DNA sequence: GTGAAAGCGCTAACAG
DNA sequence: CTGTTAGCGCTTTCAC
């Protein structure tokens, strides 16, 4: 590479190769109607000068910027990260670049970001947020496609992708039933979280389908914390002393539950099986014993968001609230009693 | 806003306002030499049409894109996130947009991203990564400024910003000494981590300065896990049964230590004080008792990286490895025994 | 096969 | 004060 003043333009390359800019352009873009010799000379000239095509100029001409915006309200929390990663997967390393915009739940910041994205002529926007809270559409008449992930738009004409929390709850219960548990309690987060309610609904439905009910007869709503997990165990043991499993609304609650069960002398999983939700590795793996938990497959959700956005950019838009499958990650905390190693 | 075909251009605005594009441009950009009436008519026309200036065209002309790249090798781990947030703080919501590039420690991905960023004419690049591992410069003769944060460049001509781990270690020890502890052990992560070694060095130095040595006489290197924290406590209690404090190389180790101390009947902080490192809220706050810990102020580090990058873009580059201060977050795990509530 | 010219949207410079 | 012109870097006609 030769060090000169300012970025190298295609005109510089053309001059060095002894051709016109138009010809250089064709050669570099593999257009046909160029002799092999010329093509080679242009390639070499570009190489020598370290030529990088100016994407701004290209975008101006083509009307596409090969750029998308990613607006997250979640302060980039632990749920947004895998979604973002998945989206990047779908968009490819360097093919389409992602503008990161953290709105931090601030409407004004969001507007600023939206304007900035529109000015930069992004090809589309992904909106992601905390759990699957319903939210206002990001803007009206945007003329570019938008996909919501995790958070979902209140406008059903928009495409929103969210994990199927209800099915996730059912998954947890069916697993416990399948490993011989019958008296199952449920401790979860605050009732105002849609996710908590949906998971509980899925759990209760799965129990009902098996002709059973919830141990302690009702879902214990509380906080998303270990502290609440510990207290939840105390409450459950009082109302349902014979319980043999607890499904927890997230991994922190489950971890608190595991600690408490150990403290009161109940063995996990021998006496009581435990299933969490989120598959948050630091928690689930550090739990004693390691935690069986429901994974929302957020990375795949992010990837799906990226793919759906690309499809929309190519003229194949989608719409509606779409549920993506959760899956179960089985670890030690729910091992059936029969198969315990000696 | 009027819905038409394709984005609204300044020519559309000019036509509606009955002026030339040049005049419209001046009016919209607050250039003087425009009558108040014209200015108003142009503003209104722009408003009516929902005009958004095309940043690609502007960038083509000005040579600046008001865009920076952020390359992270860390798979966006927990350390990168606050750095990214801080950088966004410095760059302002929408003023300068950030391209997110996760290289995932893949050299090829990194090259793709770098090329893509250069083609898009970013004004600068921030490189961030895991802890403060030394790394190769991202490229040569880039002609745009680069700032390294957390990870640092092996080329001293580059500007690298990293937390002062050594001072952080000293901070922890001085706090423990200041609250009356004298027999202090140190359990930390793998020796191959520079951060582990630096923190240990700072700790030992602070002890030496007080005429003391490490309880158990040497730093216990191991893993960054709770499991190792528990084992570390066992080892320390064997070699230094009378110890009254443990400084742990990260919060997970500290949390494991807290659990183990409780299990063996040592009260925290009454009998043994505990200090962690990272101030990772989920761990530090959920710990029983809540954990005193060293905070690397990563968000400020990210902000500093953003500011230094802007300065470099404006022609004021920096260089060298610069250490940014850690601070101590005091919680219950290190409360002096005297002041315990009844 | 190759070159010249026009134009993407915008702004700076210069006329009027 | 306002309009015209030129050009940022690139690609795409359309001549030759």
């Amino acid at each position: 590479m030769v060090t000169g003043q300012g970025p190298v333009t295609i005109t510089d390359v053309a001059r060095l190769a002894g051709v016109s800019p138009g010809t250089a352009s064709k050669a570099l873009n593999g257009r046909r109607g160029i002799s092999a010799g010329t093509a080679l000379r242009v390639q070499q000239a570009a190489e020598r000068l370290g030529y990088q095509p100016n994407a701004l100029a290209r975008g101006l001409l083509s009307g596409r910027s090969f750029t998308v915006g990613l607006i997250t309200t979640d302060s980039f929390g632990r749920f947004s990260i895998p979604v973002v990663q998945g989206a990047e997967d779908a968009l490819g390393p360097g093919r389409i670049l992602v503008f990161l915009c953290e709105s931090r739940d601030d409407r004004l910041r969001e507007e600023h970001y939206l304007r900035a994205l529109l000015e930069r002529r992004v090809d589309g926007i992904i909106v992601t947020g905390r759990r699957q809270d319903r939210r206002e559409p990001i803007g009206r008449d945007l003329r570019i496609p938008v996909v919501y992930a995790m958070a979902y738009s209140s406008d059903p004409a928009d495409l929103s992708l969210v994990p199927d929390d209800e099915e996730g709850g059912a998954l947890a219960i069916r697993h416990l039933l399948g490993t011989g548990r019958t008296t199952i309690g449920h401790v979860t987060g605050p009732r105002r979280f849609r996710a908590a309610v949906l998971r509980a609904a899925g759990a209760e439905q799965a129990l009902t389908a098996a002709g059973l009910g919830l141990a302690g007869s009702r879902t214990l709503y509380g906080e998303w914390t270990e502290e609440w997990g510990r207290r939840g165990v105390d409450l459950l043991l009082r109302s349902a002393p014979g319980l043999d499993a607890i499904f927890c609304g997230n991994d922190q609650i489950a971890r608190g539950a595991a600690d408490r069960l150990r403290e009161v002398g109940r063995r996990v999983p021998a006496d009581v099986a435990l299933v969490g939700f989120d598959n948050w590795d630091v928690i689930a793996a550090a739990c004693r014993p390691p935690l069986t938990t429901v994974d929302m497959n957020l990375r795949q959700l992010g990837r799906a968001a990226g793919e759906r956005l690309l499809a929309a950019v190519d003229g194949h838009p989608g719409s509606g609230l779409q549920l993506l499958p959760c899956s179960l990650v089985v670890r030690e905390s729910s091992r059936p009693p029969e198969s315990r190693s000696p």
Side-chain angles (χ1 to χ4, degrees), chain A:
Chain A
M1 190 210 277
V2 174
T3 310
Q5 205 54 9
V8 181
T9 73
I10 201 170
T11 311
D12 299 327
V13 174
R15 191 177 314 127
L16 181 59
V19 297
S20 75
T23 303
S25 170
K26 283 169 212 151
L28 290 171
N29 291 297
R31 295 270 167 287
R32 43 189 196 151
I34 295 290
S35 76
T38 309
L40 187 65
R41 285 207 324 285
V42 173
Q43 303 283 7
Q44 287 175 338
E47 185 74 23
R48 275 232 315 178
L49 297 174
Y51 170 68
Q52 313 261 158
N54 185 327
L56 272 48
R58 277 186 164 170
L60 186 54
L61 212 48
S62 68
R64 278 203 56 179
S65 63
F66 290 92
T67 274
V68 307
L70 196 150
I71 296 183
T72 159
T73 59
D74 184 18
S75 287
F76 234 131
R78 132 179 77 99
F79 298 110
S80 298
I81 295 160
V83 176
V84 174
Q85 291 181 330
E88 261 206 294
D89 284 345
L91 301 172
R95 227 165 47 81
I96 294 184
L97 250 34
V98 177
F99 280 121
L100 186 67
C101 307
E102 263 197 84
S103 76
R104 293 176 206 167
D105 277 318
D106 179 341
R107 192 73 201 175
L108 197 62
R109 281 180 72 99
E110 188 170 292
E111 276 167 26
H112 283 145
Y113 273 127
L114 180 60
R115 199 168 41 73
L117 290 174
L118 262 14
E119 287 183 356
R120 281 165 180 84
R121 297 296 187 264
V122 292
D123 298 329
I125 295 178
I126 295 174
V127 179
T128 179
R130 205 174 292 101
R131 300 264 165 163
Q132 84 287 40
D133 291 332
R134 178 186 161 105
R135 56 156 292 155
E136 290 298 303
I138 189 149
R140 298 245 158 244
D141 301 321
L142 252 33
R143 292 146 157 211
I144 55 170
V146 179
V147 174
Y148 297 79
M150 283 297 274
Y152 69 96
S153 169
S154 55
D155 183 346
D158 291 327
L159 174 60
S160 306
L161 268 29
V162 302
D164 190 342
D165 285 278
E166 195 163 352
E167 174 62 15
L171 221 52
I173 296 298
R174 288 201 293 264
H175 166 68
L176 289 169
L177 293 173
T179 52
R181 314 289 175 163
T182 55
T183 317
I184 307 173
H186 183 37
V187 182
T188 192
R191 187 173 234 133
R192 72 193 140 82
F193 279 81
R194 198 176 163 67
V197 174
L198 287 171
R199 290 166 196 177
E204 290 182 45
Q205 226 170 304
L207 280 169
T208 306
L212 295 169
L214 218 43
S217 67
R218 57 178 199 80
T219 293
L220 298 181
Y221 289 98
E223 301 300 323
W224 295 117
T225 61
E226 296 189 31
E227 164 66 18
W228 167 240
R230 295 194 292 268
R231 278 189 40 222
V233 164
D234 292 340
L235 294 171
L236 269 181
L237 288 179
R238 207 168 304 153
S239 62
L243 100 170
D244 60 11
I246 305 175
F247 167 41
C248 300
N250 79 353
D251 289 343
Q252 281 146 291
I253 294 174
R255 181 167 183 183
D259 286 346
R260 186 45 142 222
L261 287 167
R262 190 172 53 251
E263 284 166 13
V264 301
R266 303 261 183 149
R267 293 165 306 168
V268 176
D271 302 324
V272 179
L274 228 40
V275 176
F277 209 110
D278 286 350
N279 193 24
W280 188 10
D281 51 1
V282 264
I283 307 288
C287 185
R288 289 186 285 168
L291 197 62
T292 293
T293 182
V294 177
D295 191 312
M296 291 185 282
N297 299 319
L298 294 181
R299 185 149 189 163
Q300 276 174 244
L301 191 146
R303 171 184 279 272
E307 288 166 352
R308 301 309 226 82
L309 186 66
L310 291 183
V313 169
D314 288 343
H316 307 288
S319 72
L321 182 69
Q322 304 195 3
L323 303 179
L324 269 58
C326 296
S327 56
L328 192 78
V329 178
V330 179
R331 297 201 184 86
E332 177 135 354
S333 73
S334 67
R335 211 176 39 179
E338 301 77 36
S339 69
R340 282 182 65 220
S341 44

